[in-house]
Amino acid sequence: MKIRDRIIAALTWNEIDYVPWAVKPNHLPRGYWERELRNKGLGLTLEVRVFKITMPNVTYEHKFIGDLIIKTYITPLGSLSEKIRRGLPSEAGERSDQWRVESLIKAPDDYKVLEFMIEDMKIRPNYNDFIIIDKELGPDGITYTSIGYTPLMEIIVNYMGFRTFALEIKKRPEKVEELIEHLHEKKLEICRIVAKSPAKFVLLGDNIDEVLVDPRFFKRYCIPYYQEYVEILHKSGKIVGSHMDGRLKKLKELILETGLDFIHGFTPPPYGNLSIKEARECWKENIALWVNIPETVFYYEPVHIEEFIKCLLKEGAPGNGLMLGITETVPPTRRRIGYESITNAVLKYGKYPIRIC
């Protein structure tokens, strides 16, 4: 069975030969041992955006001060700035060497400027890159797309940061909710463009965790938006997932209400707090699991890595509706040991239907 067919079958609850095991290209530097692993069945998953966003009435300036980049966005209603620290450890290319340390929203007057920027966004389809990259990847994995963060997480991650958001939602909830609705209208535009795209799999790129986004917030600011986006995408036959890589035990019943087809980055213990077994019991065959193998596992000895994967596969038996991947940093010095051990474990224990005593 080709890797692409295996992944598609797993995420749509069809029959597979082995549980698929695939990673993003930045987690897998090119070389001899990488080719050996791919020949054994390790696949690739590539995210390619199918739309472009421009803001014709917004200009921006960059200023470099030491290890900081100050980005200033200039609009007819005023300016907003953010600070990015650069030169951070990139873990041998595993992640970016930059990190936002000061967000756009800092004062009440900033809302009107940000709302102007959002309203000024012009969104246009861009399908050509996806078509080319998908064709070049061929049967070695899947190419998928994303609508970006949903409104709540867009605000938290890109515009405020968690600390400012916690203060603003308490002091000025009406302003935050207005901002959510402005973003929602743009996300609907994006969904309609994505719905017409050649992508089969679509990700809602959130980073959900029950402590940071508790059940009350998830019910109010996530579920209605997920449902609306999923409905648009389902009408075009898309398979829709969301990146939820945090603790999910308190959210598991609410996640079932979203209409999502799969959870991307599902992180089992010891990082997460919801096991595959518990998720299966709650979600049945409504939601497939794209499992993230936690970073800590790469520090285990090979025999213990294999045992960890064996336990995951046993919990997910008989194996459909399940795939393994990595959605966080892989420690570079443990990369080869980890990949080889995981691949060996999948070949030993991941044959469908899984029968592990």
Side-chain angles (χ1 to χ4, degrees):
M1 194 173 194
K2 301 294 186 183
I3 297 170
R4 172 175 295 205
D5 296 334
R6 187 180 295 154
I7 294 172
I8 292 172
L11 295 180
T12 55
W13 293 94
N14 288 303
E15 192 167 311
I16 55 177
D17 56 351
Y18 279 85
V19 171
W21 151 231
V23 297
K24 297 184 291 185
N26 66 300
H27 291 316
L28 194 63
R30 298 295 170 265
Y32 180 79
W33 72 271
E34 167 262 342
R35 186 166 66 249
E36 282 190 319
L37 291 175
R38 290 180 62 196
N39 288 339
K40 290 181 178 180
L42 174 60
L44 293 174
T45 59
L46 280 66
E47 180 180 332
V48 182
R49 179 162 285 194
V50 296
F51 59 91
K52 288 184 176 180
I53 298 177
T54 59
M55 293 184 289
N57 298 297
V58 177
T59 59
Y60 66 93
E61 297 175 348
H62 279 183
K63 183 184 292 184
F64 297 89
I65 302 176
D67 60 359
L68 290 178
I69 305 171
I70 301 175
K71 292 184 178 180
T72 302
Y73 299 84
I74 304 163
T75 82
L77 300 184
S79 301
L80 295 179
S81 64
E82 61 182 357
K83 291 180 181 177
I84 311 292
R85 189 173 299 280
R86 57 179 176 162
L88 298 171
S90 67
E91 297 285 356
E94 280 283 326
R95 58 188 178 189
S96 171
D97 65 352
Q98 299 183 358
W99 191 259
R100 184 183 292 107
V101 294
E102 184 179 281
S103 298
L104 293 174
I105 294 288
K106 305 176 196 61
D109 287 345
D110 292 339
Y111 281 94
K112 69 178 186 297
V113 182
L114 182 54
E115 287 172 3
F116 177 90
M117 291 170 59
I118 294 167
E119 290 299 316
D120 195 47
M121 289 178 179
K122 307 302 178 190
I123 304 163
R124 296 179 178 86
N126 178 37
Y127 302 149
N128 288 339
D129 288 354
F130 187 96
I131 292 168
I132 293 168
I133 293 170
D134 186 60
K135 184 178 180 180
E136 290 176 345
L137 178 62
D140 281 2
I142 64 163
T143 312
Y144 64 97
T145 196
S146 172
I147 74 164
Y149 290 112
T150 55
L152 176 70
M153 295 306 295
E154 187 86 63
I155 289 170
I156 292 173
V157 176
N158 288 330
Y159 297 149
M160 290 188 183
F162 277 102
R163 184 178 184 278
T164 299
F165 172 78
L167 294 171
E168 290 297 307
I169 197 66
K170 183 72 173 177
K171 293 161 62 177
R172 283 175 281 274
E174 71 290 342
K175 298 298 292 181
V176 175
E177 290 177 356
E178 286 175 13
L179 198 56
I180 286 175
E181 290 306 312
H182 281 289
L183 283 166
H184 177 51
E185 291 304 313
K186 293 298 176 178
K187 293 297 177 181
L188 290 175
E189 286 186 46
I190 290 171
C191 278
R192 295 184 188 106
I193 289 172
V194 170
K196 295 177 182 177
S197 78
K200 182 178 181 67
F201 293 94
V202 180
L203 200 61
L204 313 183
D206 289 347
N207 296 83
I208 298 297
D209 178 274
E210 67 183 28
V211 176
L212 301 174
V213 181
D214 66 18
R216 176 175 58 96
F217 274 80
F218 191 82
K219 190 169 185 177
R220 181 167 182 176
Y221 298 119
C222 293
I223 290 179
Y225 302 95
Y226 281 125
Q227 289 174 338
E228 197 163 350
Y229 306 148
V230 168
E231 182 180 4
I232 292 170
L233 295 166
H234 275 175
K235 285 179 179 178
S236 294
K238 308 303 183 188
I239 310 300
V240 189
S242 180
H243 182 70
M244 299 188 183
D245 58 347
R247 293 156 287 187
L248 302 177
K249 187 185 287 283
K250 293 179 181 177
L251 301 175
K252 63 181 181 180
E253 286 86 6
L254 294 174
I255 290 171
L256 196 56
E257 298 179 25
T258 61
L260 292 166
D261 301 302
F262 66 93
I263 298 300
H264 176 267
F266 178 92
T267 302
Y271 272 7
N273 64 0
L274 181 64
S275 68
I276 291 175
K277 181 174 183 292
E278 290 175 286
R280 282 280 189 260
E281 290 171 351
C282 181
W283 298 337
K284 310 298 182 189
E285 293 191 2
N286 295 294
I287 300 178
L289 300 179
W290 184 330
V291 176
N292 167 46
I293 299 169
E295 179 182 347
T296 52
V297 172
F298 283 81
Y299 291 99
Y300 298 175
E301 292 304 313
V303 64
H304 296 130
I305 295 174
E306 287 195 26
E307 185 63 26
F308 182 85
I309 300 302
K310 178 182 177 180
C311 291
L312 289 186
L313 294 169
K314 183 177 180 180
E315 281 191 77
N320 52 344
L322 179 71
M323 74 172 284
L324 303 182
I326 300 168
T327 60
E328 55 189 81
T329 302
V330 177
T333 58
R334 303 291 297 179
R335 187 184 281 149
R336 183 166 184 169
I337 291 171
Y339 275 112
E340 289 177 350
S341 301
I342 295 165
T343 302
N344 290 337
V346 171
L347 292 173
K348 283 182 187 177
Y349 307 113
K351 184 175 175 59
Y352 180 85
I354 294 171
R355 296 188 179 96
I356 301 175
C357 298

